[in-house]
């Protein structure tokens, strides 16, 4: 991982974010933990494999679990599902050497909030952990488009339709709420969305909260997953 200067604060100060690192390579695991700790994050635990990850996460309740997918006999996707079953408010960010499409899809389907490849710089990693803790979906550039395209294909059955049932609550969203939803699902922050749509930051947050209420969802991760699964992320 490249050693570069820290980014400007994203969503949430590092000192307020608890992180757990899961990787079966001790040198990599310890190196990432050291890099994040040096930048102010509270690294509360590390784990070498999936069973340990589930057990230790349950005990330490980190805000973000930074996890590799290749964890020996038990794959990371299993640990993702099991951790989230017991800790639904924890966010899981995959950090993997693999950028294979199927690996990304499997991780997202299991509940991961985002996916970075290990070639990411420390600057990118720090920003990704902060944004993941704040509830954003974060992907290495190019991977978000793959995920969105695959879910559109599955949900529409290859017919080219939007794949939304007529009684879907997403149909009750206003045009502006739908615009904001698309950009949230692409991993943009509220300030980035405000700049894109020429709105105030407060107005964007209001649209997000209204959308969450209408869809009966709790946070932006669930909102992103809803948008992907319903094919609501297509550009107008």
């Amino acid at each position: 991982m490249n050693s570069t200067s820290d980014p400007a604060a994203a969503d949430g100060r590092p000192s307020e974010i608890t992180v757990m690192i899961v990787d079966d390579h001790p040198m990599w695991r310890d190196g990432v933990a050291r890099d994040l700790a040096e930048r102010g994050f509270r690294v509360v635990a590390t784990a070498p494999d999936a069973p340990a990850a589930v057990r230790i996460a349950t005990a330490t309740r980190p805000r973000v679990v930074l996890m590799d997918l290749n964890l020996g006999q038990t794959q990371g996707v299993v640990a993702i599902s099991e951790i989230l079953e017991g800790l639904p408010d924890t966010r899981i960010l995959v950090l993997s050497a693999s950028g294979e499409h199927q690996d990304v899809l499997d991780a997202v389907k299991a509940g991961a909030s985002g996916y970075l490849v290990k070639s990411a710089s420390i600057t990118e990693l720090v920003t990704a952990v902060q944004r993941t803790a704040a509830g954003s979906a974060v992907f290495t550039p190019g991977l978000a488009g793959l995920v969105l395209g695959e879910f559109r294909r599955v949900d529409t059955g290859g017919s080219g339709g939007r794949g939304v049932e007529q009684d879907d609550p997403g149909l009750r969203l206003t045009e502006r709420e739908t615009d904001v939803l698309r950009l949230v699902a692409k991993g943009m922050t509220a300030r980035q969305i405000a700049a894109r749509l020429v709105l105030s930051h407060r107005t964007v947050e209001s649209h997000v909260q209204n959308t969450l209420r209408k869809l009966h969802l709790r946070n932006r991760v669930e909102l992103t997953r809803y948008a992907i699964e319903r094919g609501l992320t297509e550009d107008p």
Side-chain angles (χ1 to χ4, degrees), residues 25 32 68 85-86 96 98 172 203 212:
H25 290 89
V32 172
D68 193 3
E85 183 177 353
S96 175
S98 170
R172 299 198 296 269
T203 298
L212 288 169

Side-chain angles (χ1 to χ4, degrees), residues 109-123:
K109 290 176 181 177
S113 299
Y115 195 109
L116 291 185
V117 294
K118 286 186 174 180
S119 58
S121 68
I122 186 60
T123 299

Side-chain angles (χ1 to χ4, degrees), residues 1-8 39 120-130:
M1 188 171 298
N2 299 328
S3 180
T4 57
S5 59
D6 291 349
R39 286 158 179 83
S121 68
I122 186 60
T123 299
E124 293 168 326
L125 179 59
V126 166
T127 300
V129 172
Q130 288 177 294

Side-chain angles (χ1 to χ4, degrees), residues 20-36:
M20 174 179 171
I21 316 295
V22 184
D23 198 292
D24 63 346
H25 290 89
M27 291 183 64
W28 178 269
R29 182 175 68 241
D30 295 344
V32 172
R34 182 177 60 252
D35 284 345
L36 292 181

Side-chain angles (χ1 to χ4, degrees), residues 31-135:
V32 172
R34 182 177 60 252
D35 284 345
L36 292 181
E38 288 176 350
R39 286 158 179 83
F41 292 93
R42 292 173 54 202
V43 179
V44 295
T46 63
D49 54 43
V54 176
R55 184 177 66 255
I56 296 172
T58 301
T60 58
R61 306 179 70 85
R63 179 62 173 170
V64 177
V65 175
L66 189 62
M67 175 184 291
D68 193 3
L69 285 184
N70 186 9
L71 297 174
Q73 294 182 341
T74 304
Q75 291 298 305
V77 290
V78 175
I80 292 172
S81 297
E82 292 183 356
I83 289 172
L84 293 177
E85 183 177 353
L87 301 171
D89 292 330
T90 290
R91 309 282 183 254
I92 297 183
L93 176 62
V94 172
L95 182 63
S96 175
S98 170
E100 291 294 323
H101 190 186
Q102 193 58 53
D103 288 338
V104 180
L105 289 177
D106 288 345
V108 172
K109 290 176 181 177
S113 299
Y115 195 109
L116 291 185
V117 294
K118 286 186 174 180
S119 58
S121 68
I122 186 60
T123 299
E124 293 168 326
L125 179 59
V126 166
T127 300
V129 172
Q130 288 177 294
R131 292 183 59 197
T132 298

